[in-house]
Amino acid sequence: MKAVRYAGAAVCLALAAYFMAPLVMGILHIGMVYPAALLALAAAMLLRPRWFRRLPRWLRRTGGALLGAGLALLAAVLVMMAVQAGNRPGPEDCTVVVLGCQVSASGEPTVMLRDRIDAAYDYLTAHPESRCVASGGQNDNEPISEAACGIDPDRILLEDRSRSTEENLRFTAEIIRQQGLNPRVAIASDNFHQLRASVWARRCGLEAESLGCASWWPLGPGYWAREAVAVVVLEVGSLLQGG
């Protein structure tokens, strides 16, 4: 039995190290930290150190109940994120919305932005009547025109004021209304981003479907974990505001 506990603790510590691995690339965010901390705690519980055994039973049980409730909530949010990521557009034309993403120092699109551009390009190629709004604060070096490779530039509209997902969708909705575009939108962004983007889209009077992209595997789990927190914060904030 002790060998099983030790093996489980080793797995938890290995996963914690995996979540923190992006540190070597200069990346640090909450989606890396809290999963690593929870996994380290799980490893400690499996190893049953002396300090843990000395804690009052009521405290251990309360902590375990809170941890279980938190994990259940996290699992539910992750399932909803996955469901929305799989909500692909039907045969009818949609307005494509490309959500902004970080650009490298050289002005070239990052892997994440390139995937979003490619997803938009594929859809626009297959739906020649569809239009596209490229959303996100762009700088002069950001090659968003590459989203149009082979696409008529008149089909691409730029929204370059936004600095957040909320502003992405709010300012995009304004353009869609001004231009008389289809309010059914296909959002080109990472799979983990689709649920929160769809929430803001609905609040702006749009109906959102997913042109989701798989995230680069070394970074994906951390981004999914971070986004789950963002979704919870968004919904809690909405409840507190009575919306």
Side-chain angles (χ1 to χ4, degrees):
M1 189 63 180
K2 183 181 291 187
V4 173
R5 288 193 290 107
Y6 281 15
V11 170
C12 289
L13 291 175
L15 290 173
Y18 173 71
F19 271 98
M20 296 303 296
L23 272 175
V24 302
M25 294 179 277
I27 298 172
L28 179 62
H29 54 77
I30 190 172
M32 297 160 52
V33 175
Y34 84 82
L38 290 175
L39 287 163
L41 176 60
M45 293 174 68
L46 287 169
L47 293 174
R48 297 179 185 175
R50 184 174 300 176
W51 64 264
F52 181 78
R53 295 196 301 269
R54 288 178 176 175
L55 292 175
R57 180 176 296 179
W58 68 266
L59 182 58
R60 283 182 285 166
R61 289 182 174 177
T62 301
L66 291 174
L67 179 60
L71 291 176
L73 175 61
L74 176 62
V77 172
L78 289 172
V79 168
M80 289 189 292
M81 289 167 61
V83 169
Q84 181 59 33
N87 181 29
R88 300 289 174 165
E92 67 279 3
D93 289 336
C94 296
T95 300
V96 177
V97 178
V98 183
L99 296 187
C101 186
Q102 181 181 2
V103 178
S104 66
S106 66
E108 291 299 313
T110 57
V111 173
M112 293 174 70
L113 180 55
R114 166 59 61 191
D115 288 343
R116 298 178 187 193
I117 290 172
D118 289 344
Y121 169 72
D122 290 343
Y123 185 88
L124 291 169
T125 300
H127 296 79
E129 300 301 318
S130 291
R131 302 283 295 281
C132 173
V133 180
S135 178
Q138 316 285 329
N139 60 47
D140 292 338
N141 294 322
E142 185 167 336
I144 195 61
S145 61
E146 294 188 20
C149 298
I151 302 298
D152 183 349
D154 289 340
R155 296 173 63 194
I156 312 294
L157 301 172
L158 294 181
E159 182 288 296
D160 59 2
R161 296 181 294 154
S162 59
R163 295 293 184 272
S164 67
T165 300
E166 176 188 2
E167 291 184 349
N168 283 154
L169 277 303
R170 179 154 52 88
F171 296 154
T172 293
E174 292 176 4
I175 292 175
I176 287 174
R177 285 190 288 269
Q178 291 167 1
Q179 297 293 323
L181 303 180
N182 189 345
R184 179 188 291 272
V185 297
I187 297 177
S189 186
D190 289 76
N191 285 324
F192 67 78
H193 201 197
Q194 293 293 333
L195 178 59
R196 188 157 56 99
S198 71
V199 170
W200 285 119
R202 287 195 299 271
R203 293 183 181 183
C204 296
L206 305 175
E207 184 177 348
E209 295 176 329
S210 168
L211 292 181
C213 317
S215 307
W216 189 35
W217 67 267
L219 305 179
Y223 283 135
W224 276 81
R226 184 182 70 175
E227 188 68 15
V229 173
V231 170
V232 172
V233 170
L234 172 61
E235 293 301 328
V236 170
S238 178
L239 288 172
L240 292 177
Q241 294 174 10

